[in-house]
Amino acid sequence: MPYISPPGRHKHSLWEPRGPTGAAAGPGQSEGLSPATTSPTSPTEGARPRPPALAGPLGAMTFSKLVDSVNSTGPFQFLLVVLLGLPILGMANHNLLQIFTAATPAHHCRPPPNASAGPWLLPVGPGGKPEPCLRFVSPPNASLPNDTRGATEPCLDGWAYNSSTGDSIVTEWDLVCDSNKLKEMAQSVFMAGTLVGGIVLGGLSDRFGRKPILSGSYLLLAASGSGAAFSPSFAVYMVLRFLCGFSMAGVTLSTVILNVEWMSTQLRAVMTVGIGYFYTAGQFILPGLAYAIPQWRWLQLTVSVPFFAFFLLSWWVPESIRWMVLSGKCPKALRILQWVAAFNGRKEAGEKLSLEELKLDLQKEISLAKAHHYSVADLFRTPVLRRVTFCLSLAWFSTGFAYYSLAMGVEDFGVNLYLLQVIFGGVDIPAKFITILSMSYLGRHTTEVIALLLAGASILALIFVPSDLQALRTVLAVFGKGCLSSSFSCLFLYTSELYPTVIRQTGMGVSNMLTRVGSMTAPLVRITGELHPFVPNLIFGATALLGGGASLFLPETLHQALPETIEDVEKRSPLAKEPKPEPEAEKDSQRIPLQPCGPNLGPS
């Protein structure tokens, strides 16, 4: 058996069209034909018969079926899921890291330097607990009632913290009392990075490819995350956390798109949720790491260094075939398809492929990609795309908005921080399994609607549960978090199936932007609890219900091939009108001649 090299390694494909002397066909030659030959008279005179899987009228096979013919189900799919899924373990750590690195321990004012050596009495608040942000101006008389012991003042000499739970950015930079909002700002800055990254990297990925953005994002996350562990000040820490969020957007977008574009139609839902389980596993790993490493700098470094290894492993992740073909890189796409076929034990099927099949099956898509530069504006170009973009935007925003209100509010439920984080992560296991079954049998549309409506209802139910019933409140919060996790799992697949290949990454970038806007504003909405405790849950629950209502207007994509062009999306809509039959002469005048697709031909 010949040696099988990694994708893209060999310079020339075995099936690359050659001229009569063995050289590649020149610009003036038809591929596979000599200059003096216009058409072969028999299969033995130079024409390769189409493989059985591709037989039929020219261009009759869809691109999805073409890829599935050599890339159906095999070791390659599982290798790809592992390569893409391992970094997702670390992404869960970064997303939820501030639950532990920004934990606020019990604290009180330090006594003034000239205080007596004896115990310094502290003012007591309405709940009978010591005031964390006030101290007496002068040593009080312990025999007097608390409200008559003397005047109080802010903590002018800093705070004393309970060190039994380790240190955090809160204890290092005194992010308590009047500075406690800086803690929420740090998380909002991190989410702002994912917001900007979704906007910038989504478009760059459609232009330069999924794989370069994925590899670059791994490296940036490793460098900025490790650098944050050595931050000399809170300002530097926030800048580096912004870069962490920026790079995580690139990892998320490229991972989802590569997974969807490389999987067969039957495996798409299972493998997408399978990668989601890596994120779930990461939620179990984080509490264990935080418990074993109570120093926030060492914890920050521990969750960041592995991304240097992921950066090296990413060179074995192949580029998206669809993106390469639509970008004019047909020979490279053919070589990778043949390598995947050989890896999956379908070498003969791969060797039967040729550039002619790729170009015939994607003639329209290649011509449209060269004739049009796609941007965010194309998400609103047609009525169907406008409706899809608007409804998806509401669904993504409400999911991120409500999810991070629960995930980052673990401290509010009065349960052990490490135990509750394990429970919050554990609910994802049944939630994602139910999501797989629901998406595969009920469909993506029904799954998304039910998940958001149930999440909104559970959050609103928290309003009517007294604060002393912590167990019931925790159950409702865990259930709501599981529903929102299901919504995320469904949305990643659903969005990539609704948008066509030419703007898929851009659409995912905008969707990622909206969910990050939601997650960025969630900490700010939590501050409204100072007005009344029920206000935040009212806003979070109502928004989730709004997102579920918007999802009702999205079309179903179950058992459908991925759309390649905007026209494909329009044709799928139940509102699309049947085109009027055109005379043959008019059809011939509108046909787009097939353009050459070579290694040096990129999108114009």
Side-chain angles (χ1 to χ4, degrees), residues 151-200:
T152 58
E153 63 183 0
C155 302
L156 303 179
D157 298 291
W159 290 262
Y161 298 95
N162 178 7
S163 60
S164 62
T165 57
D167 64 359
S168 66
I169 64 171
V170 173
T171 62
E172 179 153 345
W173 291 306
D174 289 333
L175 306 182
V176 292
C177 298
D178 291 340
S179 300
N180 65 342
K181 292 181 176 59
L182 293 178
K183 168 186 168 180
E184 302 295 343
M185 182 184 296
Q187 182 65 18
S188 292
V189 166
F190 170 76
M191 292 301 178
T194 63
L195 167 64
V196 176
I199 298 172
V200 175

Side-chain angles (χ1 to χ4, degrees), residues 499-513:
Y499 284 122
T501 300
V502 291
I503 56 171
R504 183 170 295 123
Q505 192 80 338
T506 301
M508 286 296 297
V510 171
S511 299
N512 181 75
M513 176 191 72

Side-chain angles (χ1 to χ4, degrees), residues 320-340:
S320 164
I321 290 294
R322 283 179 169 85
W323 179 85
M324 284 191 290
V325 172
L326 293 180
S327 299
K329 305 179 186 295
C330 297
K332 185 176 179 181
L334 179 62
R335 291 196 296 270
I336 294 181
L337 271 178
Q338 290 173 338
W339 176 83
V340 171

Side-chain angles (χ1 to χ4, degrees), residues 35-58:
T37 305
T38 57
S39 63
T41 58
S42 69
T44 61
E45 295 177 6
R48 275 192 309 276
R50 291 171 68 85
L54 304 176
L58 292 179

Side-chain angles (χ1 to χ4, degrees), residues 214-532:
L214 180 67
S215 299
S217 297
Y218 286 154
L219 184 59
L220 179 59
L221 182 55
S224 57
S226 300
F230 300 95
S231 301
S233 66
F234 183 65
V236 173
Y237 171 81
M238 286 201 298
V239 170
L240 292 171
R241 284 287 286 171
F242 176 88
L243 293 177
C244 286
F246 182 91
S247 56
M248 284 185 62
V251 173
T252 302
L253 293 173
S254 298
T255 296
V256 171
I257 296 300
L258 282 171
N259 177 64
V260 168
E261 294 187 348
W262 267 111
M263 293 299 159
S264 63
T265 305
Q266 294 76 18
L267 280 180
R268 213 180 289 152
V270 175
M271 292 304 186
T272 298
V273 178
I275 286 183
Y277 270 118
F278 281 92
Y279 188 90
T280 300
Q283 294 184 73
F284 284 110
I285 294 174
L286 180 60
L289 287 175
Y291 185 81
I293 309 173
Q295 296 79 24
W296 78 267
R297 290 183 182 272
W298 283 106
L299 180 60
Q300 175 77 43
L301 188 64
T302 301
V303 301
S304 301
V305 167
F307 280 90
F308 286 110
F310 299 146
F311 166 70
L312 299 177
L313 287 175
S314 68
W315 293 105
W316 284 89
V317 177
E319 181 59 271
S320 164
I321 290 294
R322 283 179 169 85
W323 179 85
M324 284 191 290
V325 172
L326 293 180
S327 299
K329 305 179 186 295
C330 297
K332 185 176 179 181
L334 179 62
R335 291 196 296 270
I336 294 181
L337 271 178
Q338 290 173 338
W339 176 83
V340 171
F343 194 90
N344 276 349
R346 302 171 64 96
K347 184 178 179 182
E348 291 184 2
E351 289 178 343
K352 290 176 182 178
L353 292 177
S354 67
L355 290 175
E356 287 88 344
E357 271 80 33
L358 288 177
K359 291 189 293 184
L360 286 171
D361 292 323
L362 278 174
Q363 175 180 356
K364 180 181 69 171
E365 288 81 357
I366 293 172
S367 301
L368 288 174
K370 292 176 181 177
H372 188 78
H373 292 282
Y374 294 96
S375 65
V376 175
D378 290 289
L379 298 176
F380 306 91
R381 185 147 63 96
T382 65
V384 174
L385 270 180
R386 280 195 294 271
R387 186 177 76 245
V388 167
T389 300
F390 176 75
C391 294
L392 280 178
S393 297
L394 281 176
W396 276 100
F397 174 84
S398 59
T399 301
F401 185 62
Y403 181 91
Y404 284 96
S405 73
L406 295 175
M408 301 306 295
V410 176
E411 287 182 299
D412 298 343
F413 294 98
V415 183
N416 180 276
L417 189 61
Y418 302 98
L419 176 61
L420 189 54
Q421 182 55 39
V422 169
I423 296 174
F424 264 44
V427 72
D428 283 7
I429 296 177
K432 285 183 168 62
F433 180 73
I434 294 172
T435 302
I436 292 177
L437 298 178
S438 179
M439 287 195 300
S440 300
Y441 294 99
L442 298 180
R444 284 66 154 147
H445 172 264
T446 303
T447 302
E448 180 60 27
V449 171
I450 292 176
L452 278 177
L453 292 181
L454 287 178
S458 63
I459 295 174
L460 289 176
L462 289 171
I463 298 175
F464 305 100
V465 179
S467 58
D468 55 339
L469 297 178
Q470 291 292 350
L472 180 56
R473 292 179 61 83
T474 301
V475 168
L476 288 172
V478 170
F479 177 77
K481 195 259 185 183
C483 292
L484 292 167
S485 177
S486 296
S487 177
F488 264 131
S489 298
C490 183
L491 278 175
F492 277 117
L493 176 62
Y494 199 14
T495 303
S496 59
E497 290 180 335
L498 285 170
Y499 284 122
T501 300
V502 291
I503 56 171
R504 183 170 295 123
Q505 192 80 338
T506 301
M508 286 296 297
V510 171
S511 299
N512 181 75
M513 176 191 72
L514 267 299
T515 197
R516 296 313 174 189
V517 170
S519 59
M520 190 172 62
T521 54
L524 305 179
V525 172
R526 286 169 57 83
I527 300 175
T528 61
E530 298 177 0
L531 301 177
H532 199 285

Side-chain angles (χ1 to χ4, degrees), residues 530-549:
E530 298 177 0
L531 301 177
H532 199 285
F534 78 87
V535 174
N537 287 331
L538 177 63
I539 297 174
F540 292 134
T543 304
L545 293 179
L546 179 63

Side-chain angles (χ1 to χ4, degrees), residues 114-139:
N114 58 354
S116 62
W120 185 273
L121 294 178
L122 298 171
V124 178
K129 296 182 179 180
E131 282 283 355
C133 301
L134 295 173
R135 71 180 186 186
F136 289 114
V137 175
S138 59

